[in-house]
Amino acid sequence: MRASRYLSATVKESPADAVIISHQLMLRAGLVRKLASGLYTWLPTGLKVLHKIETIVREELDRAGALEVLMPTVQPAELWHETGRFDAMGGQMLKMKDRHDRDFVYGPTHEEVITDIARNELSSYKQLPMNFYQIQNKFRDEFRPRFGVMRSREFIMKDGYSFHVDQECLNKEYDNMYQAYCRIFDRLGLEYRPVLADSGDMGGDASHEFQVLADSGEDYIAYSDSSDFAANVERAEAVMPAGERAAPSAEMTLTDTPNAKTIADLVEQFNLPIEKTIKTLIVEASEDSEHDLIALIVRGDHELNEIKAEKLEGVKSPLEMAPEEKIRDVIGASPGSLGPVNLPIPFIVDRAVTLLSDFGAGANIDGQHFFNVNWDRDVSYSRVEDIRNIVEGDPSPCGNGTLKILKGVEVGHIFQLGDKYTKALKADVLDQNGKAKTMLMGCYGIGITRIVAAAIEQNHDDKGIIWPDAIAPFQVGIVPLNAHKSPEVMEVAEKLYTQLQELGFEVLLDDRDKKTSPGVKFADMELIGIPHRIVVSDRGLADGLVEYKARKDADKSEVKLDEIIALIQSQTNR
Amino acid sequence: MRASRYLSATVKESPADAVIISHQLMLRAGLVRKLASGLYTWLPTGLKVLHKIETIVREELDRAGALEVLMPTVQPAELWHETGRFDAMGGQMLKMKDRHDRDFVYGPTHEEVITDIARNELSSYKQLPMNFYQIQNKFRDEFRPRFGVMRSREFIMKDGYSFHVDQECLNKEYDNMYQAYCRIFDRLGLEYRPVLADSGDMGGDASHEFQVLADSGEDYIAYSDSSDFAANVERAEAVMPAGERAAPSAEMTLTDTPNAKTIADLVEQFNLPIEKTIKTLIVEASEDSEHDLIALIVRGDHELNEIKAEKLEGVKSPLEMAPEEKIRDVIGASPGSLGPVNLPIPFIVDRAVTLLSDFGAGANIDGQHFFNVNWDRDVSYSRVEDIRNIVEGDPSPCGNGTLKILKGVEVGHIFQLGDKYTKALKADVLDQNGKAKTMLMGCYGIGITRIVAAAIEQNHDDKGIIWPDAIAPFQVGIVPLNAHKSPEVMEVAEKLYTQLQELGFEVLLDDRDKKTSPGVKFADMELIGIPHRIVVSDRGLADGLVEYKARKDADKSEVKLDEIIALIQSQTNR
């Protein structure tokens, strides 16, 4: 590509609402432009990156035996009524009426449509497993779209769905997709982690997220320092700590704590170690419980994990904190003074809490706490569960090493959906015995547009983007220096341009005229993030040399003109 | 691809609402499935064809210097208000409100969005010409979607838009795109014609359609039997016929014609040659005319061309036939008895009408006609225009040969839009003199999904589709005969399968077990339209032979096993 015939669309500044680096750099490097809130046009440079990602995704899924299809973006509402999600999706789903006043939606996802296809096209276990995918626009009407394409409304997703006659078949395909996803992210050249995840609203049983590591990520990932274990912090198990509970060393005392409304107050005013305190949180009980409320107790320095808690028997799901007034009515004290001793409702303690001795806890009397509480002697628990977020230093649930925490951007997610949709839509096949059987489903997503942003979050410096070779819009940039003064410079540049293209490289030749200074040309190439740059100059050619610089390295080097192509080939493994 | 792991989705019957052959075959061959009226899912076989078409389109447009972008499908209504098309597009445009109650549309086309991008990104004549394209879903809410993907609501289109500083620059790029389109349709392997077209609602000055020839096409194409001239019948000029008008041979007579309400009646009852009659059609005059109505006169055997007529000075546009009551008020006779003699309103005669002598025409008195009317002697015309559709046998407007008519399916359309959108959206650049200048635009569309249907309309027989090699879902099919009885048959088939794939062919190996009969396998391959078929059988292998058949040929042949790959290569020019 010649820069003079290209729309590079680089700009110096990004608007104030671009707060994360990938959003800023995607605007500055001319990858995208905002059309309206959460709606972006992909300009030539950005689209080249998108296409490369799509190609890698397609090749690996085809290799794994998945079949590509393409469903309409506009879907009839009837199917969403069949699964009950027409209302459940809420404001996120863009709804519309056609000219005949029939209800349609712009697909935020395609479980309904693909299951409709499966129930029509699949009739026998012999056709299974069958794994369909598509790469396509989705629309989710985010209340507050932000971070550019990271959380836009219209976006491109690879969504895949597999169908199975039994759980064994589903497990096998789930593993097949897990491996395919690893190959995809390996080939994209990104540092990532597949992590155990919660399957959230989608329902289902097993779930992994693929997280691209980046300091600005919104997700926290726990991983073992001594094994492959990794899980979303929301999902990582906090195992029973090793060791035994220390014996009581003092009598329990009831103490006036009029100014201690929080754990922090208590620790500060009474010189208590925070690990010797507990938090007693009151939530609504599930409908089938004897009591209206139930208490959840975690150590003072730990956080309740709502996702773990709401899955427990006796706890209302989704989790709902009890209103203060109701707590006062039932327990007779405010949230700042609650504890297990004399608590008139059932309670669940976190595993870490069971090891405490001589700890402080609210007395269920306003303005008073018990100090030196000890289990069994002063109060007993009947139920122990994992109800907290893990923290750095916790033992890894895999049994090897301790946990560390990283931040990541979720770019892929695989689920086992079970029969949630196939049951609702009656998607049966005949099994080996000729009996109708509801199919089981797996579901596999990749955020194609989001990968572009995640790649930039992970790979940039103060000059711009640093693309991995595999997804760079151009692999090589050529800058002829002061070509207007030297025809030879332009001749050599053109020759390299042609040769590299013939070898299959995508090359940007900056042939803009002298009104564009060399400094601007260098800055544009660094901003756009082209991995390999060749500078052709009069002075260099006098010695038979050109200059080479890898975008990721600080140093540049002088290379013999007749060796530069071999160097680029070796740098790119071609 | 192994048939056992594929969803071929072939079926015996197509539903009654599939009336055209491409619609029937696309359903029967498992290319698409209907989700709802005008909404289709592309199954694996269909999507393979679509992708091949997209790749060819992309390669040729990139080669021609166009830059690919990707705009959102969902567009803010504001832009459509700026050009006045929010209301003008009518029910065809799917409109919606987002969760904040703001108006959006699902883009039926993207002139507004691309012009918005151009006004933001292009500032100097030096950046021009700039030609952007995208390949993307569109939605047009057809009142009565039909013919499968030929006239669906959601469809995939390549839409392109070029920007220019002056008409010369636009003409050059228009020609560049014309050539690129020819290369695209050549490569697709379709018989097509680029034809002069009317630019219709889009506005603008020059326009060509690319028509794939097919008996079921909805468009009529006029072409010269002795030159390259071709034009949509709507648009083809009917030139002044050669020869001179014959002298009058009889006196004009007023004749009672009480039962002749139509030309056919007149011809039948009075033994008049139809070429010696005229039709006098009354339409509304344009607002600036002196009269309310104006008459248009064509020969009895010719059809009025409304598109030509409504462009004439003095004629209301869009054309509106006058209501009968108004005709009676103004002229004093009913539509069945009108003619130029004693007509109280102005009239325009078609070129062919000027050569008539001794012709019949209504007398503007109910139930009476004049016979043997002669121009100048009995009545004079003052205005001659081309206002009829051409017919086969007319002289070609290019001056060479006579016109013939074919039917075609419109699959591409290129326009010169001029400044229609750039003016409305104030898309200026600075010209050579540093002055702001409104850019000129060209617009270039290809109906990607429609090409699939058009290709089938042109290439099929009673067994199914006959794909051109370039867009076949698989180039080669391999059928191992009775493989369960002979391991060698399957071994040879597998080996050919691997070798052909390594050579870059896409191959369908029909490895379905013995429950699928050879007859079904052959029928499926013919229905799907795979261009080259190899049959491996025990009997053939005994003589070192396999069977080869080209889908388009009636005959099959025995080929030596070690020559079959070379044969396939030579058949496909690889």
Side-chain angles (χ1 to χ4, degrees):
Chain A
M1 184 62 67
R2 290 167 194 279
S4 63
R5 303 306 321 133
Y6 190 62
L7 184 79
S8 81
T10 52
V11 289
K12 286 226 172 92
E13 305 289 336
S14 59
D17 71 338
V19 292
I20 64 170
I21 190 74
S22 61
H23 189 187
Q24 292 166 358
L25 286 176
M26 288 184 75
L27 292 169
R28 287 185 49 213
L31 270 57
V32 294
R33 285 295 182 265
K34 181 173 161 180
L35 173 64
S37 174
L39 300 176
Y40 290 85
T41 294
W42 289 80
L43 296 182
T45 308
L47 191 61
K48 283 175 189 290
V49 178
L50 257 193
H51 279 169
K52 280 166 195 255
I53 295 170
E54 285 179 6
T55 299
I56 289 173
V57 168
R58 196 168 266 136
E59 285 176 1
E60 291 302 332
L61 291 176
D62 290 349
R63 179 183 309 189
L67 299 176
E68 188 174 359
V69 298
L70 186 62
M71 296 174 255
T73 59
V74 175
Q75 310 175 1
E78 285 86 350
L79 279 175
W80 291 79
H81 285 301
E82 274 194 72
T83 60
R85 290 211 296 178
F86 187 76
D87 297 317
M89 292 293 286
Q92 211 192 140
M93 191 153 76
L94 188 65
K95 297 170 183 175
M96 60 204 81
K97 283 181 186 292
D98 75 357
R99 67 192 300 164
H100 301 293
D101 213 37
R102 283 186 295 247
D103 287 315
F104 286 84
V105 307
Y106 195 125
T109 178
H110 279 68
E111 282 84 4
E112 278 76 1
V113 179
I114 197 71
T115 308
D116 179 59
I117 291 167
R119 70 179 166 184
N120 293 327
E121 305 299 329
L122 303 176
S123 56
S124 160
Y125 74 96
K126 284 200 276 182
Q127 294 173 280
L128 306 185
M130 191 62 89
N131 189 343
F132 299 110
Y133 76 95
Q134 61 175 354
I135 295 178
Q136 190 201 40
N137 293 35
K138 307 280 182 226
F139 198 98
R140 290 184 193 166
D141 201 358
E142 298 279 349
F143 192 82
R144 198 163 80 83
R146 61 210 147 114
F147 305 150
V149 301
M150 193 78 97
R151 193 171 290 276
S152 59
R153 298 200 287 178
E154 186 169 338
F155 57 96
I156 298 175
M157 187 169 159
K158 188 288 292 182
D159 47 328
Y161 310 90
S162 66
F163 294 88
H164 309 274
V165 70
D166 57 28
Q167 183 66 37
E168 189 192 339
C169 177
L170 170 55
N171 288 344
K172 218 169 133 185
E173 186 64 16
Y174 185 85
D175 188 54
N176 182 31
M177 282 296 107
Y178 182 99
Q179 302 299 337
Y181 272 45
C182 289
R183 285 195 300 271
I184 288 168
F185 292 107
D186 284 343
R187 282 187 60 190
L188 291 174
L190 299 175
E191 210 187 327
Y192 71 97
R193 291 277 153 76
V195 306
L196 270 172
D198 190 78
S199 49
D201 294 341
M202 308 294 281
D205 307 315
S207 169
H208 283 86
E209 288 166 1
F210 287 74
Q211 296 270 0
V212 166
L213 303 183
D215 290 339
S216 59
E218 286 189 297
D219 286 316
Y220 288 86
I221 306 157
Y223 68 100
S224 166
D225 63 3
S226 318
S227 81
D228 280 345
F229 175 83
N232 193 306
V233 162
E234 287 180 347
R235 171 66 162 72
E237 184 185 358
V239 299
M240 181 64 79
E244 301 231 325
R245 186 163 72 219
S249 69
E251 285 304 301
M252 180 170 85
T253 55
L254 183 63
T255 307
D256 284 337
T257 54
N259 301 315
K261 305 288 184 206
T262 66
I263 294 288
D265 294 342
L266 204 66
V267 165
E268 194 189 323
Q269 294 166 23
F270 296 89
N271 204 22
L272 270 184
I274 193 166
E275 321 84 59
K276 288 269 186 183
T277 65
I278 60 169
K279 283 191 280 205
T280 303
L281 302 157
I282 313 296
V283 300
E284 300 285 343
S286 58
E287 279 187 13
D288 54 355
S289 303
E290 211 176 311
H291 292 79
D292 248 17
L293 299 176
I294 185 165
L296 305 171
I297 300 180
V298 296
R299 222 167 68 181
D301 57 332
H302 286 159
E303 293 290 332
L304 177 72
N305 181 310
E306 300 196 1
I307 292 171
K308 292 175 179 176
E310 71 190 15
K311 284 184 182 156
L312 296 178
E313 209 189 308
V315 176
K316 187 173 177 183
S317 175
L319 196 79
E320 210 173 291
M321 301 308 290
E324 182 163 349
E325 200 172 328
K326 195 166 176 184
I327 294 173
R328 290 202 59 84
D329 280 355
V330 174
I331 304 177
S334 296
S337 300
L338 304 178
V341 182
N342 304 327
L343 189 65
I345 58 169
F347 63 91
I348 299 172
V349 299
D350 181 65
R351 288 166 175 173
V353 169
T354 62
L355 255 67
L356 296 185
S357 57
D358 299 328
F359 61 90
N364 302 319
I365 304 165
D366 279 346
Q368 296 200 312
H369 277 76
F370 287 115
F371 287 172
N372 297 317
V373 183
N374 279 280
W375 292 118
D376 298 339
R377 187 192 71 181
D378 305 321
V379 58
S380 294
Y381 51 79
S382 58
R383 204 168 157 203
V384 180
E385 301 280 3
D386 169 21
I387 55 173
R388 68 169 173 99
N389 287 331
I390 63 98
V391 293
E392 284 218 350
D394 277 342
S396 173
C398 70
N400 284 320
T402 59
L403 292 178
K404 291 187 169 289
I405 293 179
L406 280 173
K407 291 170 91 175
V409 178
E410 184 195 333
V411 290
H413 203 158
I414 60 178
F415 298 90
Q416 293 196 7
L417 291 175
D419 63 4
K420 178 170 170 167
Y421 298 99
T422 45
K423 206 168 164 181
L425 294 171
K426 298 188 185 60
D428 298 337
V429 289
L430 295 182
D431 71 5
Q432 292 84 337
N433 306 314
K435 284 196 178 160
K437 202 165 171 185
T438 303
M439 288 185 278
L440 298 180
M441 255 175 104
C443 166
Y444 318 94
I446 291 181
I448 302 284
T449 37
R450 191 171 237 231
I451 286 174
V452 181
I456 295 172
E457 290 291 337
Q458 188 179 83
N459 301 283
H460 66 270
D461 61 16
D462 56 355
K463 289 174 183 151
I465 303 166
I466 307 174
W467 291 113
D469 275 322
I471 58 175
F474 302 97
Q475 287 100 46
V476 185
I478 303 177
V479 183
L481 270 196
N482 296 317
H484 59 288
K485 290 186 196 155
S486 160
E488 196 197 350
V489 165
M490 205 60 208
E491 267 165 41
V492 169
E494 290 275 358
K495 201 170 159 191
L496 287 174
Y497 178 59
T498 306
Q499 286 177 322
L500 284 163
Q501 287 187 113
E502 280 168 0
L503 289 167
F505 290 98
E506 284 141 308
V507 187
L508 182 66
L509 170 65
D510 199 338
D511 64 343
R512 287 179 290 179
D513 69 15
K514 62 180 176 181
K515 286 189 189 160
T516 307
S517 73
V520 168
K521 292 180 180 179
F522 291 150
D524 272 0
M525 275 200 187
E526 286 180 314
L527 177 58
I528 295 173
I530 301 178
H532 308 280
R533 189 187 75 191
I534 303 171
V535 179
V536 183
S537 70
D538 224 2
R539 196 149 54 146
L541 290 181
D543 301 323
L545 298 171
V546 293
E547 180 197 288
Y548 168 78
K549 182 177 177 304
R551 177 67 182 87
K552 63 180 165 45
D553 297 335
D555 299 334
K556 43 199 178 190
S557 54
E558 303 280 298
V559 181
K560 282 188 189 161
L561 176 57
D562 57 7
E563 288 173 6
I564 183 67
I565 287 184
L567 175 69
I568 301 268
Q569 285 178 306
S570 74
Q571 291 282 324
T572 53
N573 296 317
R574 293 210 188 183
Chain B
M1 185 63 67
R2 292 167 193 279
S4 63
R5 304 306 319 134
Y6 190 62
L7 184 78
S8 82
T10 53
V11 289
K12 287 225 172 92
E13 306 289 336
S14 60
D17 71 338
V19 292
I20 64 169
I21 190 73
S22 61
H23 189 186
Q24 292 166 359
L25 286 176
M26 288 183 75
L27 292 168
R28 286 186 50 214
L31 269 56
V32 295
R33 284 294 183 266
K34 181 174 163 180
L35 174 63
S37 174
L39 299 177
Y40 290 85
T41 294
W42 289 80
L43 296 182
T45 308
L47 190 60
K48 283 175 190 290
V49 178
L50 257 192
H51 279 170
K52 278 163 195 259
I53 296 170
E54 285 179 6
T55 299
I56 289 173
V57 168
R58 196 169 266 135
E59 285 177 1
E60 291 302 331
L61 291 176
D62 289 349
R63 180 184 308 190
L67 298 176
E68 188 173 358
V69 298
L70 186 62
M71 296 173 254
T73 59
V74 175
Q75 310 175 0
E78 285 85 351
L79 278 175
W80 292 80
H81 285 301
E82 274 194 73
T83 60
R85 290 211 295 178
F86 187 77
D87 297 317
M89 293 293 287
Q92 212 193 140
M93 191 153 75
L94 188 64
K95 297 170 182 174
M96 60 203 81
K97 282 180 187 292
D98 76 357
R99 66 193 300 165
H100 301 294
D101 213 35
R102 284 187 294 247
D103 286 316
F104 286 84
V105 308
Y106 194 125
T109 177
H110 278 68
E111 282 83 4
E112 278 76 1
V113 178
I114 196 72
T115 308
D116 178 59
I117 290 168
R119 69 178 166 184
N120 292 327
E121 304 299 329
L122 304 177
S123 55
S124 160
Y125 75 97
K126 283 201 276 181
Q127 293 174 281
L128 307 184
M130 192 62 88
N131 189 342
F132 299 110
Y133 76 96
Q134 61 174 356
I135 295 178
Q136 190 201 42
N137 294 36
K138 306 280 182 227
F139 198 99
R140 290 184 193 167
D141 201 357
E142 298 279 348
F143 192 82
R144 198 162 80 82
R146 61 211 146 114
F147 306 149
V149 302
M150 193 79 97
R151 193 171 288 277
S152 59
R153 298 200 287 177
E154 187 170 338
F155 57 97
I156 299 175
M157 186 168 159
K158 188 288 291 182
D159 48 328
Y161 310 90
S162 66
F163 294 88
H164 309 274
V165 72
D166 56 29
Q167 184 65 38
E168 189 192 338
C169 177
L170 170 55
N171 288 345
K172 217 168 135 185
E173 186 64 16
Y174 185 86
D175 188 53
N176 181 31
M177 283 296 107
Y178 182 100
Q179 302 301 337
Y181 272 45
C182 289
R183 284 195 300 272
I184 288 168
F185 292 106
D186 285 343
R187 281 186 61 188
L188 291 173
L190 299 175
E191 210 187 327
Y192 71 97
R193 291 275 153 78
V195 306
L196 270 171
D198 190 78
S199 50
D201 294 340
M202 308 294 281
D205 308 316
S207 169
H208 283 86
E209 288 166 0
F210 287 75
Q211 296 269 1
V212 167
L213 304 183
D215 291 339
S216 58
E218 285 189 297
D219 286 315
Y220 288 86
I221 307 157
Y223 68 99
S224 165
D225 62 3
S226 319
S227 81
D228 280 345
F229 176 84
N232 194 306
V233 162
E234 287 179 348
R235 170 68 163 71
E237 183 185 358
V239 298
M240 181 64 79
E244 300 229 330
R245 186 164 70 218
S249 70
E251 285 305 301
M252 181 169 85
T253 56
L254 184 63
T255 308
D256 283 335
T257 55
N259 300 317
K261 305 288 183 205
T262 65
I263 294 286
D265 295 341
L266 203 67
V267 165
E268 194 189 324
Q269 295 166 24
F270 295 90
N271 204 22
L272 269 186
I274 192 165
E275 322 82 60
K276 289 268 186 184
T277 65
I278 60 168
K279 283 190 281 207
T280 304
L281 303 156
I282 314 296
V283 301
E284 300 284 344
S286 57
E287 278 186 16
D288 55 353
S289 304
E290 210 175 313
H291 291 79
D292 247 18
L293 301 176
I294 185 165
L296 304 171
I297 300 181
V298 296
R299 220 167 68 181
D301 58 333
H302 286 160
E303 293 289 332
L304 177 72
N305 181 309
E306 300 195 1
I307 292 171
K308 292 176 180 176
E310 71 191 13
K311 285 185 182 156
L312 296 178
E313 210 189 308
V315 175
K316 186 172 177 183
S317 175
L319 196 79
E320 210 173 294
M321 302 307 291
E324 181 163 350
E325 200 172 328
K326 195 166 177 185
I327 294 173
R328 291 201 59 83
D329 280 355
V330 175
I331 304 176
S334 297
S337 300
L338 305 178
V341 183
N342 305 327
L343 189 65
I345 58 170
F347 63 90
I348 299 172
V349 299
D350 181 65
R351 289 167 174 171
V353 169
T354 62
L355 256 67
L356 296 186
S357 57
D358 300 328
F359 61 90
N364 301 320
I365 304 166
D366 278 346
Q368 297 200 312
H369 278 77
F370 286 116
F371 287 172
N372 298 316
V373 184
N374 280 280
W375 292 117
D376 298 339
R377 186 192 71 181
D378 307 319
V379 57
S380 294
Y381 51 79
S382 58
R383 203 167 157 203
V384 180
E385 301 280 3
D386 169 20
I387 56 173
R388 68 170 174 100
N389 287 331
I390 64 97
V391 294
E392 284 217 352
D394 276 343
S396 173
C398 70
N400 285 320
T402 58
L403 292 178
K404 292 189 169 287
I405 294 179
L406 280 174
K407 290 170 89 176
V409 178
E410 184 196 333
V411 290
H413 202 158
I414 61 178
F415 298 90
Q416 292 196 8
L417 292 175
D419 64 2
K420 177 170 171 168
Y421 298 98
T422 45
K423 206 168 165 183
L425 293 170
K426 298 188 185 59
D428 299 337
V429 289
L430 295 182
D431 71 5
Q432 293 84 336
N433 306 314
K435 284 196 178 161
K437 201 165 172 186
T438 302
M439 288 186 279
L440 298 180
M441 256 175 103
C443 166
Y444 318 95
I446 291 181
I448 303 283
T449 38
R450 191 170 236 231
I451 286 175
V452 181
I456 295 172
E457 290 291 337
Q458 187 179 83
N459 301 283
H460 65 269
D461 62 16
D462 56 356
K463 289 174 184 150
I465 303 166
I466 307 174
W467 291 114
D469 276 322
I471 58 175
F474 302 96
Q475 288 100 47
V476 185
I478 302 176
V479 183
L481 269 197
N482 297 317
H484 59 287
K485 290 185 194 153
S486 159
E488 197 198 349
V489 165
M490 205 59 208
E491 267 166 41
V492 169
E494 289 274 359
K495 202 171 158 190
L496 287 174
Y497 177 59
T498 306
Q499 286 177 322
L500 284 163
Q501 287 187 112
E502 280 167 0
L503 289 167
F505 290 99
E506 284 141 308
V507 188
L508 182 66
L509 170 65
D510 199 339
D511 63 343
R512 288 179 290 178
D513 68 17
K514 61 180 175 181
K515 286 189 188 161
T516 307
S517 74
V520 168
K521 292 180 180 180
F522 292 150
D524 272 359
M525 273 197 190
E526 286 180 314
L527 177 58
I528 296 173
I530 301 178
H532 307 281
R533 188 186 75 192
I534 303 171
V535 179
V536 183
S537 71
D538 224 1
R539 197 149 53 148
L541 290 181
D543 301 323
L545 298 172
V546 294
E547 181 197 287
Y548 168 78
K549 183 177 176 303
R551 177 66 181 88
K552 63 181 166 44
D553 297 335
D555 300 333
K556 42 199 178 191
S557 54
E558 302 280 298
V559 180
K560 282 188 190 159
L561 176 57
D562 57 8
E563 288 173 5
I564 181 68
I565 287 184
L567 174 69
I568 301 268
Q569 285 178 307
S570 75
Q571 291 281 323
T572 52
N573 296 319
R574 293 209 190 184

